[in-house]
């Protein structure tokens, strides 16, 4: 098949949607399909050959983050040209309500279109206000996908219709790294991965827990990986704790796997705004026990706490107590490690790609999948039962 994929966010900025789009493109290419990805681009020297630029991105605050998107007449012209040149069997747009290339693609052609909804919030005023304006474009979507039940419920509330739940995927075999001696703590190693300049990722919560962690385990090591400036986080630490925290900056795939494999505990102290939890799956794929904020998305990925420990979001004392208890309980960590390794294969691209291809093939034949009666509308119900 000839497949066009539209990402609304800059591929040069780390993020769950961007990572998903890149992995999806690689999976489709490996399966022998022709793939072109349209996305905003900041660094033209670093883009893969299958990416076409929709223009340079600008930062727009959204959902506790800064989304780097592109829009305007020049972007519209590039989108139309890409669609005409591609002659695609199906176009897969991500985050179609975002003011960027995805919604422009829906405005610019007749389809067939598949759309994936990634975002979750309790209520989105922006989405509610824009629903009427966007409806003519959204009605062109032949099949809707949500990455989680939370994202699906938000889509139903604000957009209407139905969607199949196909979660974000990962290549599980890419997380078989090797521990690095210089990253190991004699009293345990804790890791966190996320953008340091986004408060909702909760780095400050973990930094506030460090003094108590160090008091109980003086040689504990905390590894912090992710893009952004570490100065503010470092200033939060008392002087006698700073040697216990190692800021790694942005890491490549190999370093990320090495960090996770060498950790006794992965902490996800996010404060909200998460629709899924791909970082939890990455830790599980590496065999690392997970301690995460009790957010709806994280609770779903961790099966209510059976695949990882949950703590009250933003509660430093709760995080500290649970982290110290797990570090003192190697048998419990082994149980979490085994449970995570057993659960994570169902999120591998080898499992998810056939589900996506079934959607593509349906819409390319002229079928529509936005109603509950569609074949994968029933598949969504089956997946929901399996996830419980």
């Amino acid at each position: 098949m000839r497949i066009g994929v539209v990402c609304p966010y800059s591929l040069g900025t780390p993020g769950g949607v961007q990572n998903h789009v890149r992995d999806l493109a690689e999976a489709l290419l490996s399966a022998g399909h022709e793939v072109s990805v349209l996305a905003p681009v900041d660094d033209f020297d670093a883009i893969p050959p299958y990416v076409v630029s929709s223009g340079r991105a600008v930062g727009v605050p959204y959902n506790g983050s800064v989304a780097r998107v592109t829009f305007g007449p020049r972007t519209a012209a590039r989108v139309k040209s890409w669609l005409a040149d591609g002659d695609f069997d199906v176009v897969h747009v991500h985050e179609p309500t975002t003011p960027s290339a995805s919604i422009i693609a829906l405005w610019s052609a007749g389809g067939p279109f598949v759309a994936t909804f990634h975002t979750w919030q309790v209520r989105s005023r922006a989405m509610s206000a824009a629903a009427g304006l966007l409806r003519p474009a959204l009605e062109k979507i032949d099949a809707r996908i949500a990455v989680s039940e939370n994202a699906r419920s938000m889509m139903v509330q604000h957009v209407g219709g139905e969607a199949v739940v196909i979660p974000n995927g990962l290549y599980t075999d890419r997380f078989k790294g090797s521990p690095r001696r210089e990253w190991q703590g004699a009293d345990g190693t804790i890791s966190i991965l996320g953008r340091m300049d986004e408060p909702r990722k909760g780095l400050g919560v973990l930094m506030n827990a460090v003094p108590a962690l160090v008091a109980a385990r003086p040689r504990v090591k905390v590894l912090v990986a992710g893009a952004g400036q570490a100065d503010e986080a470092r200033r939060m630490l008392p002087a006698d704790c700073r040697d216990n925290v190692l800021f790694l900056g942005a890491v490549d795939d190999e370093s990320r796997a090495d960090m996770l494999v060498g950790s006794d505990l992965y902490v996800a102290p996010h404060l909200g705004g998460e629709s899924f939890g791909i970082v939890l799956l990455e830790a599980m794929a590496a065999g690392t026990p997970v301690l995460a904020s009790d957010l709806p998305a994280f609770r779903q990925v961790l099966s209510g706490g059976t695949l990882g420990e949950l703590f009250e979001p933003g509660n430093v004392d709760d995080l500290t107590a649970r982290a110290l208890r797990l570090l003192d309980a190697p048998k419990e960590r082994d149980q979490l490690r085994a449970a995570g390794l057993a659960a994570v294969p169902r999120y591998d691209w080898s499992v998810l790609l056939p589900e996506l291809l079934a959607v593509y093939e349906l819409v390319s034949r002229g079928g529509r999948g936005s109603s509950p009666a569609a074949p994968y509308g029933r598949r969504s119900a089956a997946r929901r039962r399996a996830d419980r």
Side-chain angles (χ1 to χ4, degrees):
M1 299 178 71
R2 292 177 59 84
I3 302 165
V5 182
V6 188
C7 179
Y9 308 131
S10 171
L11 290 180
T13 304
V17 177
Q18 298 93 311
N19 294 342
H20 178 86
V21 166
R22 281 193 294 264
D23 285 354
L24 171 60
E26 291 180 18
L28 290 168
L29 289 166
S30 297
H33 300 280
E34 297 181 53
V35 182
S36 178
V37 174
L38 182 73
V41 173
D42 292 315
D43 184 358
F44 287 85
D45 294 329
I47 62 172
Y50 55 78
V51 174
V52 175
S53 173
S54 62
R56 291 194 178 275
V58 296
V60 176
Y62 180 69
N63 195 24
S65 180
V66 176
R68 293 193 58 77
V69 299
T70 182
F71 46 82
R74 193 170 290 182
T75 296
R78 293 187 180 190
V79 171
K80 291 178 180 178
S81 176
W82 175 78
L83 288 167
D85 294 342
D87 190 25
F88 300 114
D89 296 305
V90 62
V91 178
H92 188 169
V93 298
H94 291 261
E95 293 289 61
T97 61
T98 300
S100 190
S102 292
I103 189 65
I104 295 174
L106 290 172
W107 276 329
S108 301
F113 285 112
V114 173
T116 291
F117 294 79
H118 295 259
T119 301
W120 177 78
Q121 292 175 290
V122 175
R123 182 166 181 80
S124 172
R125 293 181 179 178
M127 227 172 159
S128 296
L133 178 64
L134 299 179
R135 191 165 303 283
L138 298 177
E139 287 177 349
K140 294 182 179 181
I141 298 171
D142 300 286
R144 297 168 179 176
I145 297 170
V147 300
S148 67
E149 283 295 339
N150 292 325
R152 188 196 68 84
S153 65
M154 181 175 177
M155 186 219 76
V156 171
Q157 176 184 358
H158 294 287
V159 178
E162 187 51 90
V164 58
V165 175
I166 301 178
N168 284 338
L170 73 165
Y171 293 100
T172 56
D173 59 358
R174 293 183 180 179
F175 295 90
K176 311 305 180 186
S178 301
R180 300 189 186 184
R181 184 184 298 273
E182 65 272 23
W183 291 355
Q184 301 302 293
D187 283 336
T189 304
I190 297 172
S191 61
I192 178 175
L193 176 67
R195 296 185 293 276
M196 284 184 279
D197 53 357
E198 288 191 22
R200 73 184 179 96
K201 298 300 181 182
L203 177 59
V205 179
L206 179 57
M207 292 299 98
N208 286 329
V210 166
L213 294 171
V214 172
R217 288 177 165 260
R219 295 178 295 174
V220 71
K221 184 77 75 174
V222 178
L223 307 177
V224 181
Q229 295 296 319
D231 295 346
E232 183 176 349
R234 190 178 287 111
R235 283 194 295 268
M236 296 178 67
L237 297 168
D240 59 349
C241 296
R242 289 176 184 169
D243 289 342
N244 295 85
V245 181
L246 183 59
F247 294 94
L248 305 179
V251 294
D252 57 22
D253 291 345
E254 180 181 355
S255 298
R256 178 172 53 180
D258 290 348
M259 179 190 76
L260 292 172
V261 168
S263 297
D264 297 293
L265 193 62
Y266 179 81
V267 176
H270 301 52
L271 298 174
E274 305 296 330
S275 64
F276 193 58
I278 194 70
V279 291
L280 309 186
L281 295 178
E282 292 174 351
M284 291 159 62
T288 308
V290 171
L291 174 62
S293 295
D294 193 0
L295 303 177
F298 289 176
R299 173 170 282 273
Q300 183 178 3
V301 170
L302 296 178
S303 295
T306 61
L307 302 179
E309 185 92 358
L310 295 163
F311 69 94
E312 182 182 352
N315 190 321
V316 174
D317 292 338
D318 195 20
L319 185 161
T320 304
R322 292 176 185 272
L324 290 174
R325 186 184 65 77
L326 285 169
L327 290 174
D328 287 335
K331 288 186 178 179
E332 185 172 347
R333 295 204 312 273
D334 286 343
Q335 291 172 352
L336 291 176
R337 180 179 295 109
L341 288 170
V344 79
R346 71 189 182 101
Y347 296 96
D348 192 85
W349 278 109
S350 62
V351 175
L352 298 182
L353 187 62
E355 297 185 18
L356 283 165
L357 287 173
V359 177
Y360 292 171
E361 289 167 1
L362 179 67
V363 301
S364 69
R365 294 196 304 266
R368 290 186 64 88
S370 58
S371 70
Y376 53 90
R378 294 193 295 271
R379 176 74 177 90
S380 177
R383 174 173 286 280
R384 289 199 295 275
R385 288 193 295 272
D387 285 345
R388 292 192 181 108

